[in-house]
Amino acid sequence: MTNLFQKPQSAALAFMVAGAVWFVVGAVYGMFSAIHLVAPEFLPHVAPLVFGRERPVHVNTMLYGFVGTMLVGIGLYYLPALLKTRLWSEPLAWMAFVFWNLTVLSGPLGFAFGFTQGREYNEYVWLADISLVLAVACLIVVTALTIVNRREPQLYVSIWYFMATFLWTASNYPLGNVMWHPATGAMPGLIDSLFLWFWGHNLPGLLITPLATGAAYFVIPRVTRTPLNSHTLSLLGFWFLIALYSHIGGHHVLQSPIPNWLKTVSVVDSVSMVLPVSIVVINLWLTARGFGGRVWNDPPARLVMGGIVWYIITCIQGPLQSLPFLQRVTHFNNWTVGHAHIAMLGFGGYIALGAMWHVLPLVSGRPVYSNKLINLQFGLITFGLTGFFIVLTMAGLVQGSAWHNGETVLRVLPQLSPFMVMRAALGIFILTASLVGLANLYLTLRPARQEEPLLRGEEAA
Ligand code: HEM
Ligand code: HEM
């Protein structure tokens, strides 16, 4: 056992495997949520599976469990690799793994039985919050001391993003989760919405986005076998992200009586977000220019580039829906659920999966069992998610325009039914994709796999 916790890159692999397992768990809960939006009377007497409990399990398991966990695992591989050293302490990374996954596990175990703080994206109870903060503290120490002990003088941009993610999370998570009020995790009254959305926004913005961006910056130049187009530009994007993303969570509560100056700041800077986003996209694009074939023909890199394409779409939609005149129609309905899925699965999830498949042979020393299965996963998710985006956007527009014209929520519900049926049907493709991924991972790592040679030397480097 001791050996496992000392084995180089074992914690990275553990994070990636856990991410793949959480993807399946989250998808199962997503399916239950989707079915209940079609047939509310489905399994009526199973308390853990009422909509109000299964939905937060779905959301938190997907964000922290699938996307977050997998991206941390990928970072724990590229951190020492890019710094030409070993991870400072493998056992400490394992401690982070345990604390992080206990928090994620507290979702299905806790929310299902009513243990929740009931604030969207801040649902974990205080003990689970502590566990997450401890995980982040371990990751800060491991990352910082690996950087200190590096043999490569230049800090590649992925390292900046990886280190910064944990520093930001260590300060933003306790603040948004109001951890100094252990019983409720909340502030009184309207002010709570500001704290809530501070983290609700920085979870995608300063946890998922930097991890995904760092992973994309790692994978694309490796696959195209070209140097990054511009290191300076990449760091400019990094600083713009901090300058703009950290304080625009007000765009989630534009329809509430929060101070006007805060609304103005959040709208102006939401629109300015085109700067850091364009920098990342242009930089990666110019890196891959002329080598598109290498990206397209490499199944993991295709997923990563797919994630960048979803990032472009998400970040065209995002600034537009921060404009108050548009948000009057799109707020509080399925439009936002569509945005959340293309952002979290499209951008974060595609990059997490692509980078995981890219890194897996390097960590395990074995080639991925089947590239065809990666392609199948890509196809299933792309079909399911594109469908989600279309169906949910249409449902949102039906709801929003009806409400805007004075209709009641109740009277619009029957019109949503076809969209909800289609979403549930499309969910089956994404659930299948998660299972295909887990099977491919198992078949790659299974101990009895003798027939294929282990990767050595240059192939593994
Ligand atoms: C099997 C596939 C999936 C199905 C059937 C599904 C279904 C659902 C349902 C029914 C909701 C609740 C919507 C509502 O309250 O109106 C939801 C919310 C959400 N899901 Fe999924 N989902 C799936 C996959 C994913 C994945 C892979 C991710 C992220 C990687 C994700 C992230 C989210 C998020 C962030 C929300 C909250 C949206 C919001 O509040 O705006 N889902 N999903
Ligand atoms: C240019 C960048 C972006 C802008 C300006 C933006 C803007 C917005 C706005 C205004 C909302 C609230 C919509 C409403 O409630 O009416 C929202 C929701 C959301 N965004 Fe973004 N977005 C951006 C990028 C992203 C990215 C990259 C992610 C994920 C990594 C993301 C994840 C989410 C999620 C999960 C929600 C749903 C929150 C909820 O449950 O209400 N967004 N975004």
Side-chain angles (χ1 to χ4, degrees):
M1 258 342 221
T2 325
N3 279 346
L4 172 66
F5 298 131
Q6 300 281 3
K7 196 176 161 204
Q9 295 156 6
S10 55
L13 184 59
F15 267 98
M16 290 191 280
V17 172
V21 173
W22 288 127
F23 186 16
V24 175
V25 176
V28 169
Y29 277 93
M31 279 312 299
F32 274 116
S33 312
I35 291 169
H36 276 137
L37 288 173
V38 174
E41 70 288 356
F42 178 66
L43 295 179
H45 303 303
V46 187
L49 290 183
V50 295
F51 185 76
R53 291 181 181 185
E54 69 200 1
R55 184 191 193 276
V57 176
H58 165 62
V59 174
N60 287 280
T61 305
M62 283 303 191
L63 306 196
Y64 296 92
F66 159 38
V67 185
T69 308
M70 209 174 255
L71 286 171
V72 171
I74 292 151
L76 284 175
Y77 169 76
Y78 67 61
L79 174 74
L82 289 170
L83 297 175
K84 300 199 171 84
T85 182
R86 289 178 72 151
L87 201 63
W88 179 71
S89 163
E90 205 65 43
L92 199 58
W94 269 99
M95 279 178 71
F97 172 82
V98 172
F99 285 130
W100 184 284
N101 283 283
L102 279 177
T103 305
V104 179
L105 189 65
S106 81
L109 293 187
F111 303 159
F113 298 96
F115 295 99
T116 169
Q117 292 191 329
R119 300 156 82 239
E120 201 185 5
Y121 302 108
N122 298 252
E123 283 102 341
Y124 289 131
V125 294
W126 190 70
L127 274 178
D129 291 344
I130 296 280
S131 189
L132 193 96
V133 171
L134 286 174
V136 170
C138 295
L139 289 165
I140 289 178
V141 175
V142 169
T143 310
L145 291 177
T146 307
I147 293 175
V148 169
N149 291 321
R150 72 189 189 272
R151 277 187 272 151
E152 163 61 52
Q154 196 186 25
L155 285 183
Y156 184 66
V157 62
S158 302
I159 307 290
W160 286 71
Y161 277 114
F162 194 64
M163 179 76 230
T165 300
F166 304 121
L167 293 175
W168 291 329
T169 304
S171 53
N172 295 343
Y173 187 92
L175 197 61
N177 283 270
V178 192
M179 278 181 66
W180 59 99
H181 289 170
T184 58
M187 300 290 282
L190 179 72
I191 187 87
D192 189 56
S193 68
L194 296 180
F195 279 82
L196 186 166
W197 280 113
F198 180 69
W199 176 247
H201 177 76
N202 282 327
L203 162 60
L206 293 185
L207 197 154
I208 302 295
T209 298
L211 288 177
T213 312
Y217 269 130
F218 176 68
V219 174
I220 295 299
R222 275 182 57 93
V223 173
T224 53
R225 300 193 288 280
T226 49
L228 181 66
N229 167 62
S230 163
H231 188 65
T232 313
L233 204 57
S234 70
L235 291 186
L236 206 63
F238 172 89
W239 288 110
F240 267 128
L241 183 80
I242 309 184
L244 296 170
Y245 222 143
S246 48
H247 57 272
I248 57 177
H251 64 210
H252 294 266
V253 274
L254 287 181
Q255 318 297 324
S256 320
I258 60 166
N260 268 341
W261 65 264
L262 196 56
K263 292 186 185 179
T264 309
V265 169
S266 73
V267 173
V268 171
D269 285 354
S270 294
V271 175
S272 316
M273 274 299 296
V274 293
L275 277 173
V277 174
S278 318
I279 288 178
V280 171
V281 171
I282 290 170
N283 212 6
L284 285 173
W285 188 265
L286 291 179
T287 303
R289 191 171 52 167
F291 300 99
R294 289 185 186 165
V295 174
W296 182 253
N297 293 324
D298 181 276
R302 194 187 306 157
L303 269 161
V304 173
M305 243 338 164
I308 296 297
V309 171
W310 282 117
Y311 191 41
I312 299 172
I313 301 173
T314 303
C315 297
I316 292 174
Q317 187 186 34
L320 286 175
Q321 69 190 16
S322 352
L323 302 174
F325 73 90
L326 186 70
Q327 207 182 91
R328 250 170 250 140
V329 176
T330 60
H331 190 58
F332 272 144
N333 59 45
N334 279 292
W335 170 287
T336 309
V337 183
H339 173 76
H341 282 91
I342 60 165
M344 285 300 188
L345 174 56
F347 165 53
Y350 271 57
I351 293 182
L353 289 168
M356 191 267 288
W357 294 122
H358 179 85
V359 160
L360 187 63
L362 308 174
V363 172
S364 66
R366 292 161 191 273
V368 174
Y369 174 75
S370 163
N371 273 335
K372 284 195 180 132
L373 287 181
I374 302 182
N375 286 338
L376 178 64
Q377 187 181 45
F378 177 82
L380 288 166
I381 300 188
T382 304
F383 182 75
L385 183 62
T386 309
F388 262 33
F389 183 45
I390 296 170
V391 164
L392 292 168
T393 304
M394 284 167 67
L397 288 175
V398 169
Q399 287 174 289
S401 50
W403 299 344
H404 203 56
N405 290 309
E407 266 303 353
T408 62
V409 170
L410 189 66
R411 279 160 52 105
V412 182
L413 286 183
Q415 295 180 25
L416 297 183
S417 186
F419 299 107
M420 296 297 104
V421 172
M422 279 192 272
R423 190 256 301 275
L426 289 160
I428 296 170
F429 289 83
I430 298 173
L431 172 63
T432 311
S434 70
L435 290 166
V436 167
L438 192 60
N440 204 5
L441 192 60
Y442 170 74
L443 292 168
T444 303
L445 298 176
R446 77 184 192 279
R449 195 174 168 211
Q450 305 284 344
E451 69 274 21
E452 298 201 35
L454 296 187
L455 292 179
R456 292 228 178 72
E458 273 194 359
E459 234 185 316

